[in-house]
Amino acid sequence: MDTGFVPGQGRAQIYFASAGQGVPVILLHDGLANSDYMSDLARALLRARCRVVVMDARGHGRSTMGTLPLSYDLLADDVVTLMAYLRLRNAAFVGWGDGAVQAMNVAMRHPGTVSRVFAFAPRTTPDGLLASGENAPTIKSFMTRAKTEYKRLSRSGSFSDLRDDMRNLHRQAPEWSNADLVRVTAPLWAVAADHDELVARMQVEQIASAIENAGLAILPATSHFALLQNPLLFSLSVESFLGGR
């Protein structure tokens, strides 16, 4: 396994890990989480003979924030920078929450670099985040876990600052219309959990209907944390989307 840091814009240092051989697949985690959350999926894709790449989004996990304001465009650029460093001309993407938004933004801004997008719990506008979700027991549990992990992994900054940065980002982005969504030309699955406490199903369905090469999938008996609640179901869904590879 190859691990390290690549320099991002604004003097950020972006952590990554890469392993395996075969079809390259980049896994992107949700806001306030880190790449460790993708471990079960990463192991499953390695067994399926994929080349798996994970990264900590800037300001998350082991990656530093740098000096620039956080934006989805900046997060997309970090992915492209890492791909250039790893000499990946294109890759499939699996994104969860903010990672799904990040993957779709890469597909819009750098279409030649994206072969497929598995977008779990994506959004199109700030209204896609349900205000009631903050009070859900699973979200409260996640926040406690994320804070502990941040203290263990982070080399700089504070969890409260990161939380404020993400809240500011969520208030203003993404802001995508159907005209924006059609810029995604790669095959895409818009995937929802049937009991997602954080992301509005309507926006997931909008993505599936607006993008020409898109499909809609609903994961049963799961919430926003489906990849942790039922890792076998989640990994089989991803492998099916990738064509069984």
Side-chain angles (χ1 to χ4, degrees), residues 173-208:
E175 198 64 71
W176 292 332
S177 66
N178 284 353
D180 296 311
L181 294 174
V182 297
R183 293 160 52 200
V184 179
T185 57
L188 178 145
W189 273 11
V191 186
D194 64 350
H195 290 83
D196 196 319
E197 59 277 78
L198 196 60
V199 173
R201 171 87 64 86
M202 183 182 301
Q203 294 208 351
V204 182
E205 294 174 348
Q206 177 192 354
I207 292 168

